[in-house]
Amino acid sequence: MAMALALRLRRLLPYRRTRLRVSAGAEATGCGQRGRPSLWLGGSEVFLSAFPGILGNAVVFKRGLMISALSYLGFETCQLIFQSAVVHAEVNVQEILEQADYLYGSGEIEKLYHLLTQYKQSEDAELLWRLARASRDISQLSTTSAEDKKRLVYEAFAYAKRALEKNESSFAAHKWYAICISDVGDYEGIKVKIGNAVLIKEHFEKAVELNPKDATSIHLIGVWCYSFAELPWYQRNIAKVLFATPPTSTYEEALKYFQMAEQVHPNFYSKNLLYLGKTYLKLKNKKLAAFWLLKAKDYPAHTEEDKQVQKEAAQLLKTVGDKD
């Protein structure tokens, strides 16, 4: 940096004739602070030559050069500090995201939540949707009280909504917004939950549109289809009241999405394996049901959800005659 400044300052020192504006009472505005040099120096115009006999002009030149040099140095310093601050801020956000993804991959849900809540006022969509996910994950723990669970569900929804507002092109923001809307519906009542069904599916579909390789979003559309395929009659009646054309689906449609998710990312999620088994059971295909349920039961348990999946898969396997 010193070399660059030196080279730039040399341009202020012409060998021959130079025109320079100086002012004895010039206002210093560098970096927006009074008392420091600035680039703007108004005043009289002085002509300097290479001839050494004009002492007065030489003094003015020397004085003007010093002011100009300091002005330029002040401006350069201010600019470099600003650029450094911006880069530093960007690096910090990226570092936080990397730490968050590492903790999530390691199953350190509580540490992840505590890390991200320090930055809950952030305007970064990538950080906000991760915070929504972390809040929701904590709410799903069996050790979380009913009161805290409700608080965390609404907290997650608020973070997901902000993430989507900040960046509508984020597939993950759409995905977690839809998940959180569904969770909030558990507290708002069955009418609200069914009433939000179409909106939820639209956001899942938008997530897949933005990122066709996100197996989780595809899986969640499958869950949506499965849920409507097994919707009880009284909830179907509520749907008929809320919609001119109530949303419907079939187990065949659900199966299509679970298979698609598995094709995009094989063995990516214990719950997708479980739903494949459950869907085949609904379709009376016990052989394939047993195949997927066994895979779900043997899936390595990295999270509490994985353990619950293992337990449910083991119970369902008994219904298809598998004693393992």
Side-chain angles (χ1 to χ4, degrees), residues 53-128:
I54 310 175
L55 180 61
N57 282 347
V59 171
V60 172
F61 170 75
K62 188 173 182 180
R63 178 174 156 198
L65 176 61
M66 183 177 295
I67 294 172
S68 297
L70 289 172
S71 299
Y72 194 78
L73 182 61
F75 173 76
E76 288 285 299
T77 302
C78 178
Q79 191 176 45
L80 288 169
I81 290 173
F82 175 75
Q83 292 172 350
S84 176
V86 171
V87 171
H88 183 65
E90 290 176 349
V91 168
N92 278 347
V93 171
Q94 188 58 39
E95 287 177 352
I96 294 165
L97 296 181
E98 288 175 359
Q99 290 175 43
D101 290 344
Y102 174 78
L103 290 172
Y104 182 75
S106 302
E108 300 283 357
I109 299 173
E110 292 177 334
K111 288 182 181 179
L112 172 62
Y113 177 74
H114 290 308
L115 168 70
L116 293 178
T117 49
Q118 298 177 66
Y119 309 98
K120 61 184 178 182
Q121 301 303 325
S122 172
E123 300 297 307
D124 190 282
E126 292 297 303
L127 195 150
L128 288 168

Side-chain angles (χ1 to χ4, degrees), residues 13 70 117 164 224 254 264:
L13 290 166
L70 289 172
T117 49
L164 191 59
W224 188 97
V264 168

Side-chain angles (χ1 to χ4, degrees), residues 148-257:
D148 284 340
K149 178 181 175 69
K150 183 177 181 180
R151 174 183 59 80
L152 287 162
V153 163
Y154 279 91
E155 186 179 290
F157 174 72
Y159 294 137
K161 183 179 179 182
R162 281 175 55 204
L164 191 59
E165 289 170 350
K166 296 303 175 185
N167 185 5
E168 291 187 354
S169 297
S170 168
F171 82 92
H174 282 279
K175 174 171 67 178
W176 285 99
Y177 181 66
I179 291 171
C180 292
I181 290 176
S182 180
D183 288 345
V184 167
D186 293 337
Y187 294 96
E188 301 290 331
I190 191 63
K191 286 186 178 180
V192 173
K193 193 171 182 69
I194 294 177
N196 285 332
V198 173
L199 180 64
I200 289 169
K201 189 179 182 185
E202 286 175 352
H203 281 285
F204 284 145
E205 289 173 339
K206 185 63 177 178
V208 174
E209 178 188 326
L210 291 168
N211 184 5
K213 296 298 183 183
D214 181 48
T216 306
S217 295
I218 300 170
H219 161 81
L220 289 168
I221 297 176
V223 173
W224 188 97
C225 294
Y226 186 96
S227 299
F228 270 89
E230 70 170 2
L231 204 66
W233 65 267
Y234 69 92
Q235 292 186 10
R236 291 184 189 277
N237 288 338
I238 293 174
K240 289 177 182 178
V241 173
L242 295 174
F243 300 98
T245 305
T248 60
S249 189
T250 64
Y251 292 117
E252 286 83 2
E253 188 176 8
L255 180 63
K256 177 185 72 175
Y257 284 105

